[in-house]
Amino acid sequence: MGYQGLNKITAGLSILYFTIIILYSIDVFIGYQPLKFALGFIRIPVLMILYFYSSKERNFIYFLALFFYQIASLLLSKDAGSSLFYGAIASVLFRFLLVVLVYKAIEEKKWVMIIIASLPFLWAYLYLVDLVKDSLSNDLYPWLLNGFLTAFLGGLSVGNYYFKDDKKSYWLLISCLLFVIQIGMFLINKFYLRQQLFLQLGIIFYGISHYTFYKFMIKNEEER
């Protein structure tokens, strides 16, 4: 397939991906369950196909990370105790693989800056966990681990952007900041104060954060 053909496919899949995100957010507000499940389920497969066509490397770790996110998304949409626990575990695995991808992509790691940049994210996350800890019960430790990985991911992205202001670093920064915001909104909405607005914003933020992380992956491959 030629370059122009690939460009058309990736552009079409990008439009399809954001169309699904918008429709899913609207359907969550309306509350039509059959369409809600279908739209929520196909978001990640469409992103996987988009990456498959766009990437020259087709990084297995990234596909695996998206797979674990898909599992986490399905399990955390339920309210059963076991589903929430295993959903939290799948979320930890997803975030751990993102850390691996980002760690490998960053050439110069300024550890002092990374640690300093991680601390505000960690403090904010631990505050939220403390706020909802009575509702977490047995799920507390997976969510704490999620917090450390999220904070470290945020620190990596901020530290990298501070020293290397390029397109790859820009996409990574936007993605990681939105991941941090979204997981905070999820915890509040799921375990503390249910608000339709939080749920809809979380869907949009996660949609954008996944897409910007995909752009980061593509830029990283192009650089190499």
Side-chain angles (χ1 to χ4, degrees):
M1 186 180 296
Y3 181 75
Q4 283 189 327
L6 279 173
N7 270 350
K8 286 181 180 179
I9 290 175
T10 55
L13 287 169
S14 296
I15 293 169
L16 176 62
Y17 174 76
F18 279 107
T19 301
I20 291 168
I21 296 298
I22 293 168
L23 290 176
Y24 182 48
S25 178
I26 293 171
D27 189 66
V28 165
F29 179 76
I30 296 171
Y32 183 62
Q33 293 300 322
L35 187 59
K36 176 183 173 182
F37 176 80
L39 291 171
F41 184 83
I42 63 174
R43 293 174 297 168
I44 295 303
V46 169
L47 188 63
M48 284 180 168
I49 296 169
L50 174 59
Y51 176 68
F52 180 84
Y53 273 103
S54 305
S55 171
K56 294 177 181 178
E57 296 184 10
R58 293 168 183 168
N59 192 309
F60 173 75
I61 296 176
Y62 183 47
F63 281 116
L64 191 61
L66 292 176
F67 171 74
F68 279 120
Y69 172 76
Q70 182 78 333
I71 294 175
S73 178
L74 292 172
L75 291 175
L76 292 174
S77 65
K78 305 179 185 301
D79 289 324
S82 59
S83 295
L84 293 176
F85 176 77
Y86 290 115
I89 295 296
S91 180
V92 168
L93 294 172
F94 159 69
R95 224 161 292 274
F96 172 74
L97 292 176
L98 289 193
V99 169
V100 171
L101 290 168
V102 172
Y103 186 86
K104 291 174 67 176
I106 295 176
E107 296 169 2
E108 295 185 34
K109 300 169 184 69
K110 310 291 186 180
W111 286 107
V112 173
M113 182 64 187
I114 290 170
I115 292 170
I116 292 173
S118 298
L119 291 176
F121 297 119
L122 182 61
W123 179 87
Y125 188 91
L126 291 178
Y127 174 79
L128 288 175
V129 169
D130 184 64
L131 199 65
V132 301
K133 64 183 179 183
D134 293 336
S135 301
L136 294 176
S137 61
N138 294 331
D139 304 339
L140 177 62
Y141 294 109
W143 284 112
L144 282 174
L145 185 53
N146 230 323
F148 282 102
L149 291 171
T150 301
F152 185 55
L153 195 60
L156 281 172
S157 66
V158 171
N160 180 64
Y161 186 77
Y162 184 82
F163 290 104
K164 193 175 181 183
D165 181 4
D166 57 7
K167 281 192 175 181
K168 183 180 81 171
S169 301
Y170 169 78
W171 289 122
L172 176 63
L173 179 68
I174 296 299
S175 176
C176 291
L177 290 180
L178 288 177
F179 277 133
V180 170
I181 294 170
Q182 193 281 335
I183 197 171
M185 294 178 69
F186 171 81
L187 285 173
I188 293 173
N189 185 69
K190 189 74 176 179
F191 300 109
Y192 187 70
L193 179 64
R194 289 186 179 268
Q195 290 288 332
Q196 192 71 23
L197 179 62
F198 288 165
L199 182 57
Q200 288 182 277
L201 286 176
I203 290 167
I204 293 170
F205 285 164
Y206 236 136
I208 297 172
S209 59
H210 271 296
Y211 187 81
T212 49
F213 195 88
Y214 145 77
K215 295 290 287 183
F216 157 74
M217 289 294 296
I218 297 300
K219 285 293 179 186
N220 184 52
E221 291 174 12
E222 287 174 356
E223 278 190 11
R224 292 214 299 264

